[in-house]
């Protein structure tokens, strides 16, 4: 019996020995060591991508620093080939600089940063990017990064040092730390490192990243020196800085249970009611009481006592309570004018036919984090028409060049029905075909990326719904333009025929009959039956602005009074706009109204004004709307959209008939003469 029991004892002892051995081998690893072994998580998963990621992280940091200090960014990027798949990269900016004591940790320690807990929009949030770049460069070539920085001040000196990352301890290794006179630099930072990589051109290149960065950051000047010795400069398109994002508290909408438990456990508030009211935004005293009542939670209890069950009840009650959308000042959207400015500045070489007015959606929240979506469409010109449209994806003003298929932006663009808006979409789904570029920008206090590499946005229903809503609005602008151009083209053909054939016919018949040529204006008016709006735009003589002119023709048989509506860049509105005789009003968004009064048949009138400033070129005179008149008879303008928030002139006209007045007999006589003339002309033929 003892013998029978021996094998299990030996097995148990053997198992215990194995467990002890395994326990001895287990030890903590640093975050740097983890990412060193899993570089692909950070985006360093190929030579070409690794070279791009390093530039991207440094440029993103430079833009963030400049914007926080309210400095117009000047960034110089240099990439030099120094060996087989080995490049030296330097990025220099004119930002506020970094204090000497912080330089080692900023560049040599992962997860060290000031923005991770800040509830506001920024490009860098996790404190990984630039230190991961230094780590990868050090691991791939064995060479440290060289850092130089100077903060503003006449008595301040510049500091430089070499930094490597100790992957075992996640601590910087600093050498050659010294002060030096940076005479031509008032303030700014330079990072230079040598890394393994492969320089490529095309859609996923450093050049493309910098070009797209310039589109959504038109206030920045970016200079790029490539390995082939060429220099590319993306000049600053505007000196208007983006709005500075303010830090806010989390929004309660869409919050997860774990987040609520974490916030309640760390709260310094003494009651649940105060916790809801003071630790979240948009929660008033009344709403906090209402949420507690719906959740069945004692408002005077301690937030630390909520636990899982109490947190679940609060989340359910919050979902059932109408709470104001999060404040938008924590976000820094580009805005419709600057999106258009950036697109026009960079894509001018393609000479697009039309820039659809970009759309910025109101702020919403997902998982307690406010976000907004912006879209724009560029159409026609020299944009290739035989392939799929180009999708430009951005998150917090940063281009997303990789993993397009895994991105919620691509998914939304593919599921949108573009056939209704003038683009070809085979099978009703998928990326559409046509001469267009679709831009989508998601701005958030915390963009839900699919990985630490920040290459694609996760598929969250709330974000997809907002992207689709924004696409619908901007696509409507495109469809309106295409319809307008088609109608205008057909009417132009008809108008050309009428204006050429009728006068020629009248001349010939008059000569044969020996009678004077009759006035054909009323005949042409009856045939055309449109109010024609012809826009024009040209540079002023001093090259400081643009003269905008609308010639309005009345080719109908009755007088008309109506309004013209235009959205002008606010900073470009001059006295010539508000001082125009037909000017009516302008609101805070730059939406202007003009009144055309009693425009008689066969007559025309001009609406002219001057726009000045660096935003003047963003105004497209084709984007004009009308109210107070049946839009069916208007050529060159669409009906005022209902979502403009502007009350236009109500339509009072019922039919295009000539009103009875003192000139009625004269007009009737003219009509009889025209009919007799036409009858004689037919008999002569």
């Amino acid at each position: 019996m003892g013998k029978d029991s021996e094998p299990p004892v030996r097995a148990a002892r053997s198992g215990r020995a194995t467990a002890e051995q395994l326990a001895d081998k287990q030890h903590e690893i640093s975050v740097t060591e983890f990412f060193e072994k899993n570089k692909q998580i950070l985006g360093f998963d190929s030579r070409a991508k690794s070279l791009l990621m390093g530039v991207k992280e440094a440029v993103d940091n430079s833009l963030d620093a400049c914007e926080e200090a309210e400095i117009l960014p000047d960034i110089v990027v240099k990439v030099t080939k120094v060996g087989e798949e080995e490049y030296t990269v330097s990025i220099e900016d004119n930002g506020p600089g970094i204090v000497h004591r912080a330089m080692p940790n900023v560049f040599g320690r992962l997860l060290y940063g000031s923005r991770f807990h800040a509830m506001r929009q920024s490009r860098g949030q996790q404190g990984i990017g630039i230190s991961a770049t230094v780590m990868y460069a050090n691991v791939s070539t064995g060479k440290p990064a060289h850092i130089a920085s100077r903060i503003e001040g006449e008595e301040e000196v510049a500091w430089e040092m070499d930094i490597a990352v100790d992957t075992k301890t996640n601590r910087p290794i600093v050498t050659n730390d010294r002060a030096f006179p940076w005479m031509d630099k008032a303030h700014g930072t330079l990072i230079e490192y040598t890394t393994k990589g492969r320089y490529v051109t095309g859609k996923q290149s450093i050049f493309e990243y910098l070009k797209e960065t310039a589109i959504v950051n038109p206030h920045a000047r970016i200079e790029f020196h490539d390995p082939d010795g060429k220099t590319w400069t993306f000049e600053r398109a505007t000196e208007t800085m983006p709005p500075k994002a303010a830090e806010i508290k989390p929004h309660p909408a869409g919050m997860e249970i774990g987040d609520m438990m974490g916030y309640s456990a760390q709260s310094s508030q003494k009651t649940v009611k105060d916790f809801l009211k003071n630790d979240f935004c948009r929660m008033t005293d009344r709403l906090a009481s209402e949420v507690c009542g719906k959740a069945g939670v004692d408002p005077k209890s301690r937030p630390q006592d909520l636990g899982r069950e109490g947190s679940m009840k609060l989340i359910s009650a919050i979902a059932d309570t109408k709470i104001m959308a999060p404040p938008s000042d924590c976000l820094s959207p580009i805005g419709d004018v600057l999106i258009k400015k950036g697109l026009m500045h960079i894509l001018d070489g393609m000479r697009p036919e039309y820039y659809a007015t970009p759309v910025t959606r109101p702020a919403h929240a997902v998982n307690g984090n406010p976000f907004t979506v912006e879209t724009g469409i560029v159409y026609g010109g020299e944009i290739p028409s035989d392939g799929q449209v180009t999708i430009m994806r951005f998150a917090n003003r940063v281009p997303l060049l990789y993993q397009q298929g895994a991105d919620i932006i691509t998914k939304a663009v593919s599921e949108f029905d573009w056939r209704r808006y003038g683009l070809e979409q085979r099978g009703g789904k998928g990326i559409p075909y046509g001469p267009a570029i679709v831009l989508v920008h998601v701005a958030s206090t915390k963009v839900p990326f699919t990985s630490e590499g920040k290459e694609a946005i996760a598929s969250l229903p709330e974000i997809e719904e907002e992207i689709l809503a924004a696409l619908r609005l901007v696509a409507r602008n495109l469809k309106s333009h295409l319809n307008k151009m088609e109608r205008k083209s057909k009417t132009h053909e008809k108008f050309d025929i009428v204006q050429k054939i009728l006068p020629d016919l009248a001349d010939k018949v008059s000569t044969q009959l020996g009678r004077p040529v009759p006035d054909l204006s009323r005949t042409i008016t009856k045939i055309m039956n449109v109010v024609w709006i012809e826009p024009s735009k040209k540079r002023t003589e001093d090259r400081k602005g643009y003269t905008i002119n609308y010639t309005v023709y009345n080719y109908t048989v009755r007088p008309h009074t109506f309004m013209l509506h235009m959205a002008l860049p606010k900073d470009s509105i001059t006295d010539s706009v508000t001082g125009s005789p037909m000017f009516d009003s302008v609101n805070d968004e730059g939406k202007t109204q003009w009144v055309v009064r009693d425009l008689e048949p066969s007559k025309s009138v001009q609406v002219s004004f001057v726009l000045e400033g660096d935003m003047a070129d963003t105004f497209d005179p084709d984007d004009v709307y009308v109210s107070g008149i049946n839009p069916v008879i208007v050529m060159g303008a669409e009906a005022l959209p209902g979502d403009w928030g502007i009350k236009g002139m109500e339509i009072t006209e019922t039919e295009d008939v000539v009103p009875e007045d003192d000139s009625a007999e004269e007009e009737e006589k003219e009509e009889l003469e025209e009919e007799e003339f036409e009858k004689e002309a037919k008999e002569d033929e």
Side-chain angles (χ1 to χ4, degrees):
M1 193 169 177
K3 290 180 180 179
D4 293 338
S5 63
E6 285 181 3
V9 172
R10 284 197 298 270
R13 288 176 179 172
S14 176
R16 178 180 178 81
T18 302
E20 292 287 352
Q21 292 172 358
L22 291 174
D24 291 339
K25 293 179 180 179
Q26 292 172 343
H27 61 89
E28 182 182 0
I29 63 172
S30 74
V31 63
T32 313
E33 191 174 3
F34 171 78
F35 282 124
E36 179 192 10
K37 303 295 185 184
N38 299 276
K39 294 183 283 291
Q40 72 282 355
I41 296 177
L42 298 177
F44 298 96
D45 52 353
S46 71
R47 294 298 195 210
K49 194 173 174 185
S50 298
L51 191 62
L52 169 62
M53 289 300 294
V55 172
K56 172 183 175 296
E57 296 296 348
V59 171
D60 289 353
N61 279 13
S62 293
L63 289 169
D64 270 337
C66 287
E67 288 173 13
E68 285 185 24
E70 298 183 344
I71 298 170
L72 288 170
D74 281 316
I75 301 172
V76 179
V77 179
K78 295 180 181 179
V79 179
T80 306
K81 188 171 185 178
V82 295
E84 186 65 28
E85 289 197 335
E86 193 166 294
Y87 294 83
T88 295
V89 180
S90 73
I91 298 92
E92 181 180 345
D93 64 48
N94 65 329
I98 303 170
V99 295
H100 177 234
R101 67 177 181 276
M103 290 169 64
N105 284 329
V106 168
F107 293 96
R109 188 175 178 184
L110 272 70
L111 294 179
Y112 181 89
S114 61
R115 305 186 189 104
F116 184 77
H117 295 288
M119 189 70 72
R120 60 184 171 87
Q121 177 186 332
S122 64
R123 295 170 183 82
Q125 294 178 334
Q126 300 158 324
I128 290 179
I130 195 62
S131 50
T133 298
V134 172
M135 177 201 73
Y136 178 78
N138 184 226
V139 169
S140 63
T141 66
K143 299 177 182 179
H146 181 73
I147 314 297
S149 191
R150 182 181 181 181
I151 62 176
E152 190 172 11
E154 291 183 2
E155 298 181 0
E156 298 291 344
V157 297
W159 289 88
E160 65 179 350
M161 62 185 70
D162 294 333
I163 298 177
V165 181
D166 186 339
T167 58
K168 297 294 184 183
T169 62
N170 188 30
R171 290 294 186 273
I173 302 171
V174 178
T175 55
N176 301 322
D177 184 6
R178 70 179 186 91
F180 75 101
W182 204 349
M183 303 304 296
D184 59 343
K185 198 78 171 179
H187 50 81
T189 301
L190 165 73
I191 175 173
E192 183 176 278
Y193 59 90
T194 302
T195 184
K196 287 288 186 180
R198 184 165 62 89
Y199 183 77
V200 298
T201 58
K203 292 184 178 180
Q204 296 176 331
S205 63
I206 295 174
F207 174 83
E208 186 66 23
Y209 160 73
L210 295 176
K211 184 186 81 172
E212 293 192 16
T213 297
I215 289 175
V216 292
N217 297 275
H219 61 292
R221 180 186 184 275
I222 303 174
E223 186 178 308
F224 175 44
H225 302 261
D226 71 14
D228 299 325
K230 296 180 181 178
T231 299
W232 310 85
T233 303
F234 302 99
E235 294 290 352
R236 199 185 331 275
T238 176
E239 294 191 358
T240 302
M241 290 287 291
K244 195 171 182 179
E247 189 170 346
I248 66 163
K249 297 171 184 176
H251 192 274
M255 191 163 291
E256 302 284 358
I257 295 173
D259 292 328
M260 181 64 76
M261 292 176 65
Y263 284 127
S264 61
Q266 298 169 13
S267 177
S268 61
Q269 305 299 322
K270 294 183 178 180
T271 68
V272 171
K273 181 179 177 180
D274 288 341
F275 162 63
L276 291 173
K277 185 174 68 174
N278 298 322
D279 287 6
F280 297 96
C281 67
R282 300 304 200 196
M283 287 294 289
T284 62
D285 188 88
R286 179 188 64 80
L287 284 175
S289 298
E290 183 180 341
V291 168
C292 288
K294 289 181 178 180
V297 173
D298 183 0
K300 296 182 179 180
S301 62
R302 296 173 67 248
Q304 292 80 7
D305 296 336
L306 279 172
R308 182 176 180 275
E309 185 177 348
S311 297
M312 289 178 64
K313 290 179 179 179
L314 282 182
I315 287 175
S316 297
I318 288 170
D320 192 41
T321 304
K322 188 174 182 179
I323 302 174
M324 188 182 298
S328 58
D329 58 354
C330 62
L331 302 174
S332 180
I334 307 166
D336 55 354
V337 175
L338 285 178
I339 288 177
K340 193 170 182 179
K341 181 73 175 179
L343 287 168
M344 293 177 68
H345 186 63
I346 302 301
L347 301 179
D348 185 56
M350 291 183 173
R351 292 188 283 275
E353 170 194 324
Y354 181 65
Y355 294 88
T357 303
V359 169
T360 300
R361 292 284 296 167
H364 288 71
V366 57
N367 295 339
N369 295 289
F371 75 95
T372 188
V373 171
E374 300 181 290
T375 57
I377 295 179
V378 181
Y379 183 86
E382 295 182 8
I383 300 173
S385 60
D386 55 350
Q388 291 182 323
V389 304
T390 299
I391 303 174
M392 288 187 172
R393 302 174 295 127
F394 299 90
N396 285 358
R397 297 174 179 264
V398 177
L400 306 177
L401 300 185
Y402 285 89
Q403 295 190 19
Q404 176 172 299
D407 195 288
I408 184 63
I409 293 175
T410 307
K411 182 174 182 287
V413 171
S414 299
E415 293 182 353
F416 187 75
D417 186 2
W418 291 98
R419 295 173 299 178
R420 298 175 55 189
Y421 300 96
L423 292 177
E424 180 187 356
Q425 194 172 29
R426 299 163 189 176
K429 279 194 175 184
I431 300 174
Y433 289 76
I437 297 172
V438 178
L439 178 151
V440 180
H441 174 227
V442 177
S444 177
T445 56
K446 186 178 180 182
V447 178
F449 291 111
T450 56
S451 70
E452 300 299 331
K454 297 181 289 187
E455 297 162 342
I457 302 173
S459 292
L460 299 181
E462 297 91 339
I463 295 180
E464 183 176 8
E465 288 174 8
E466 282 301 297
I467 294 174
L468 289 171
L471 288 174
R472 196 170 298 113
L473 290 171
V474 77
R476 186 186 68 185
N477 293 336
L478 173 62
K479 180 63 173 177
S480 173
H481 168 76
L482 294 177
N483 286 344
K484 186 193 301 182
M485 292 301 104
E486 184 179 2
R487 287 182 58 210
K488 204 168 183 179
S489 176
K490 291 180 179 178
T491 308
H492 254 302
E493 293 176 6
K494 178 180 176 181
F495 196 66
D496 288 343
I497 292 172
V498 169
Q499 281 198 316
K500 289 178 182 178
I501 293 179
L502 283 187
D504 287 347
L505 182 61
D507 285 340
K508 292 178 181 178
V509 174
S510 298
T511 300
Q512 292 179 6
L513 297 179
R515 297 181 57 179
V517 179
D519 182 6
L520 298 178
S521 59
R522 288 188 54 78
T523 303
I524 294 175
T525 293
K526 289 171 64 178
I527 295 173
M528 296 305 300
N529 193 36
V530 295
V531 172
W532 189 288
I533 301 175
E534 189 68 38
S536 69
K537 174 182 177 181
K538 64 178 181 179
R539 278 276 197 183
T540 55
E541 291 184 2
D542 59 8
R543 310 291 292 175
K544 293 182 179 180
Y546 289 86
T547 299
I548 311 298
N549 184 73
Y550 291 93
T551 305
V552 185
Y553 303 90
N554 183 4
Y555 294 120
T556 69
V557 295
R558 62 163 297 165
H560 290 284
T561 296
F562 54 93
M563 274 187 172
L564 298 178
H565 305 266
M566 295 152 250
L568 306 179
K570 290 187 297 182
D571 297 337
S572 299
I573 296 177
T574 65
D575 292 340
S576 80
V577 175
T578 56
S580 172
M582 284 178 279
F583 175 79
D584 179 73
S585 62
V586 59
N587 69 3
D588 293 338
E589 297 176 339
K591 293 176 179 176
T592 58
Q593 301 187 128
W594 313 72
V595 180
V596 177
R597 297 187 186 278
D598 300 320
L599 182 58
E600 296 291 333
S602 304
K603 300 295 182 182
S604 66
V605 68
Q606 289 192 338
V607 176
S608 297
F609 53 89
V610 174
L611 297 177
E612 293 182 351
D614 62 356
M615 294 299 169
D617 61 340
T618 64
F619 177 65
D620 186 345
D622 279 324
D623 291 333
V624 59
Y625 303 92
V626 292
S627 66
I629 188 172
N630 185 351
V632 173
I633 66 169
V634 178
M635 189 59 54
E638 298 291 318
L640 179 67
D643 57 4
W644 252 45
I646 300 291
K647 182 175 175 57
M649 184 180 292
E650 294 182 1
I651 298 177
T652 56
E653 303 168 0
T654 55
E655 56 181 344
D656 282 338
V657 294
V658 180
E660 293 184 5
D661 56 22
D662 297 338
S663 61
E665 292 183 4
E666 183 65 28
E667 291 175 351
E668 185 177 354
K669 182 179 178 182
E670 289 179 0
E671 289 182 5
L672 290 173
E673 288 179 352
E674 290 174 5
E675 290 176 5
E676 183 180 351
F677 181 85
E678 292 173 2
K679 183 178 179 181
E680 291 178 358
K682 289 181 180 178
E683 291 175 352
D684 185 67
E685 290 178 351

